[in-house]
Amino acid sequence: MTLTLDGRDQEMLAGEHGEAAMLAMRVITRVAASMQAKTLLDISGAHIDSCLYHGQAGLDFARRLADDGAEVVVPTTLNVSSLDLLHPELYRGDDHTRSQALALMEAYEQMGCRATWTCAPYQLDDRPGFGDHVAWAESNAIVFANAVLGARTHRYGDFIDICCAITGRAPAAGLHLDAARRAEVVFDLAAVPDRLLELDVAYPLIGHHIGKLVGTRIPALTGVPAGTSEDRLKAIGSAGASSGSLAMFHVVGSTPEAPTLDAALGDNRADVVAMGAADLRVARDQLTTAATGERLGIVSLGTPHYSVAEFGRLIELLDGRRVRDGIGFYVNSGRDIVHEIALRGWERRLIDAGVQIVTDTCTYITPVMADHHGVAMTDSGKWAYYAPGNLGLDVVFGSVEDCVESAVAGEVRRDDSVWADA
Amino acid sequence: MPEALRTLVAGEASGLVLALDESLSFWGGFESESGTIIDQAHPQVGESLAGRVVTMAVGRGSSSASTVLAEAIRLGTGPAALIMREPDEIVNLGAIVADELYGITMPVLIVDQTTFDAVASAERATISAAGSITF
């Protein structure tokens, strides 16, 4: 199977559109060949993960492109970086890494990417629509674009994301194609009690569980109430893209390519895996490395970046109370969302409650949290999955209600009554 | 002489074989400065990949792994070559970009199970630019 390039692709490869486009097209065609793509296709947008600093090679690549005059040709958003530019005093890393990370961020801005610095570009006003081909990197964004927006992106990662943005092209392969998007395994949640499915806390656990089981297959979920909210779908996707490599899923009755199970399956025949409350309890325990009743040091919310609705729920739960002194209560979000909540007067209320908002980055990928004595709590399946390894912390996964009540009390409290008899 | 089913990144390489018992995520599981496995849950934690012909059946982990692998190739702490059963775009990208940026090739070869097992149990292996493997 050989890759056929159109005239403009060939011009770029021959250097007729400049050095940067040539390098970008070389990388894309080499990857396209390894994916056994027959052609490239046009994309209408990109989301870049390469702006997070992991070493000199990432900066060398970005500088080479930027110095050669690269300009993105489609609207392009930027993922989290290693630095919170709005709250620089939080940074506790070394100066060398800070200056390298900053240089990397500047290189991507120089190429015309928007300084969005968020892992949740789907929460911005301008987001892809159904059927749009895009090149998105960052696992939780990829799975949200495919599953919830019905946009089409393969699992792109470092380097190729910006190459697609500079050329406006991507390999016509993988999740860009109809056949690769149909469900290959069904998870039936009919046995999960309705009262659990009415709670936000169930959704990251569903995602964690299916992520561990799917491998490279695309799952369809049945037995989930129709019209499941975007925040709950985001929780399924981000947890499943951490415990596994979930890049697409269907929730029958809620996601756009699954009005019915038959639509989600297409021509595929799929095994049906029954899920029950016990599976969710196991997931909760896998995401928990400390016991309730322990001293609480940290609460971290907003992985992926909190939405306006999630901030609204947090304000409601705090109800004017303050976080206990000495506890670090962090909420990660995008600067655009934080601007919106500031206009609503919520940012002030959160600060007064002792909450530290973190923008542009995330508490699990860069040192921004102070030393707090005690274990950490989170409502995020993704954060609970990565924090013990990345940060060396003990973590208790709980609902946002549990996180707030624990932070006010100063010790880990979890309302396990929801799991009774489940 | 066994041939690769597909050569994803072509180049010459030679070195002692390191057969990974489990897939390794280069992001979080490997340190580019030292070239060693740092994933505490990996059975070969502490082993060095530097200059080795590494067999790893399938790839694993975060897309940030491409940068970590490219960085290791730049520093000379990366594998001499990777022999795999299934293509992995994240691994490929790290190798492709190191080649494009620094002109350092780390061959990536896809082989059948028989060849994979034979290389994995060999002491040394040499890869030719055409994708043949001797061991």
Side-chain angles (χ1 to χ4, degrees):
Chain A
M1 192 181 303
T2 50
L3 177 67
T4 307
L5 299 177
D6 74 11
R8 196 175 157 76
D9 297 335
Q10 291 177 18
E11 287 170 19
M12 282 193 258
L13 203 53
E16 292 170 31
H17 296 268
E19 292 284 324
M22 181 167 74
L23 174 57
M25 186 52 78
R26 282 181 60 86
V27 172
I28 290 174
T29 52
R30 290 180 75 170
V31 171
S34 78
M35 293 172 76
Q36 298 185 303
K38 291 179 196 157
T39 58
L40 306 183
L41 51 73
D42 285 333
I43 55 164
S44 60
H47 180 67
I48 308 294
D49 185 41
S50 309
C51 52
L52 177 60
Y53 184 72
H54 293 296
Q56 186 67 40
L59 180 56
D60 287 347
F61 189 69
R63 279 268 41 111
R64 164 96 172 262
L65 290 168
D67 290 346
D68 285 343
E71 291 271 354
V72 299
V73 298
V74 292
T76 301
T77 48
L78 289 169
N79 201 41
V80 292
S81 78
S82 310
L83 304 174
D84 179 344
L85 296 179
L86 302 186
H87 310 91
E89 70 282 1
L90 296 177
Y91 182 72
R92 299 160 66 82
D94 63 80
D95 287 342
H96 176 70
T97 304
R98 185 199 340 238
S99 64
Q100 295 279 94
L102 202 55
L104 187 66
M105 296 168 80
E106 286 166 358
Y108 281 101
E109 284 196 68
Q110 191 185 325
M111 291 187 255
C113 306
R114 279 178 62 202
T116 48
W117 311 125
T118 184
C119 59
Y122 45 80
Q123 289 171 179
L124 300 170
D125 290 339
D126 203 6
R127 64 184 194 176
F130 184 83
D132 290 350
H133 288 282
V134 295
W136 276 23
E138 160 54 38
S139 67
N140 104 84
I142 292 165
V143 66
F144 194 98
N146 281 317
V148 185
L149 302 181
R152 294 177 172 222
T153 178
H154 195 59
R155 288 181 72 228
Y156 295 112
D158 285 8
F159 303 126
I160 191 161
D161 48 10
I162 187 64
C163 293
C164 293
I166 289 168
T167 58
R169 303 282 278 169
L175 289 165
H176 288 289
L177 307 180
D178 285 335
R181 300 175 66 83
R182 302 284 86 87
E184 298 164 294
V185 58
V186 177
F187 288 90
D188 183 11
L189 283 80
V192 178
D194 289 346
R195 61 187 167 78
L196 273 179
L197 292 175
E198 284 164 11
L199 302 173
D200 293 336
V201 73
Y203 292 83
L205 299 175
I206 293 168
H208 178 81
H209 179 73
I210 64 175
K212 289 186 85 87
L213 297 181
V214 286
T216 58
R217 296 172 298 174
I218 291 170
L221 278 59
T222 56
V224 179
T228 302
S229 73
E230 287 200 0
D231 283 329
R232 288 178 173 181
L233 296 171
K234 161 175 125 172
I236 293 175
S238 63
S242 303
S243 66
S245 46
L246 192 67
M248 171 69 179
F249 65 95
H250 303 273
V251 178
V252 175
S254 294
T255 57
E257 290 172 51
T260 62
L261 180 58
D262 284 345
L265 287 167
D267 296 329
N268 290 349
R269 286 160 153 242
D271 292 335
V272 178
V273 181
M275 261 181 84
D279 295 313
L280 301 188
R281 203 182 308 112
V282 168
R284 177 200 68 184
D285 293 343
Q286 285 174 344
L287 292 171
T288 298
T289 62
T292 51
E294 289 216 35
R295 180 171 170 182
L296 181 68
I298 285 170
V299 172
S300 184
L301 311 178
T303 305
H305 278 171
Y306 245 30
S307 66
V308 172
E310 287 170 319
F311 271 117
R313 178 75 180 136
L314 177 60
I315 292 272
E316 196 178 288
L317 291 170
L318 280 164
D319 194 23
R321 294 176 298 170
R322 264 191 70 83
V323 169
R324 199 173 179 97
D325 285 347
I327 288 174
F329 194 115
Y330 300 89
V331 186
N332 303 291
S333 188
R335 47 172 67 194
D336 290 69
I337 297 289
V338 172
H339 180 67
E340 167 70 25
I341 68 160
L343 293 176
R344 295 181 185 216
W346 294 353
E347 186 185 24
R348 186 73 251 160
R349 287 168 68 180
L350 290 169
I351 292 168
D352 290 345
V355 171
Q356 174 67 57
I357 291 172
V358 176
T359 56
D360 303 343
T361 188
C362 191
T363 48
Y364 83 95
I365 53 173
T366 197
V368 289
M369 298 190 298
D371 290 328
H372 297 279
H373 298 289
V375 304
M377 270 191 97
T378 185
D379 66 345
S380 159
K382 180 170 183 167
W383 200 89
Y385 185 84
Y386 283 117
N390 281 17
L391 304 173
L393 290 172
D394 276 317
V395 175
V396 175
F397 172 85
S399 66
V400 63
E401 292 84 352
D402 295 330
C403 291
V404 168
E405 293 312 315
S406 300
V408 170
E411 65 171 32
V412 177
R413 292 185 178 177
R414 197 164 67 181
D415 177 8
D416 286 337
S417 67
V418 298
W419 302 98
D421 311 320
Chain B
M1 187 184 306
E3 300 279 335
L5 294 176
R6 295 172 60 201
T7 302
L8 301 182
V9 178
E12 293 180 354
S14 183
L16 291 172
V17 171
L18 177 68
L20 290 183
D21 298 330
E22 280 180 18
S23 292
L24 175 67
S25 172
F26 284 93
W27 183 76
F30 169 82
E31 188 180 66
S32 57
E33 290 82 3
S34 63
T36 52
I37 298 172
I38 56 165
D39 179 355
Q40 294 299 323
H42 196 281
Q44 288 149 302
V45 61
E47 287 253 28
S48 173
L49 268 53
R52 310 286 285 275
V53 173
V54 174
T55 60
M56 176 169 84
V58 295
R60 180 184 152 225
S62 158
S63 61
S64 298
S66 303
T67 308
V68 178
L69 180 57
E71 176 70 359
I73 297 170
R74 179 185 82 87
L75 291 170
T77 57
L82 264 176
I83 311 287
M84 305 181 72
R85 286 284 295 115
E86 306 272 348
D88 180 78
E89 287 132 42
I90 290 164
V91 165
N92 285 351
L93 265 167
I96 289 168
V97 168
D99 184 14
E100 294 285 343
L101 266 188
Y102 307 114
I104 309 172
T105 49
M106 183 197 75
V108 181
L109 271 54
I110 307 301
V111 299
D112 62 27
Q113 190 66 49
T114 310
T115 307
F116 185 86
D117 292 340
V119 177
S121 56
E123 191 183 347
R124 292 189 65 88
T126 300
I127 288 123
S128 78
S132 61
I133 309 166
T134 46
F135 44 85

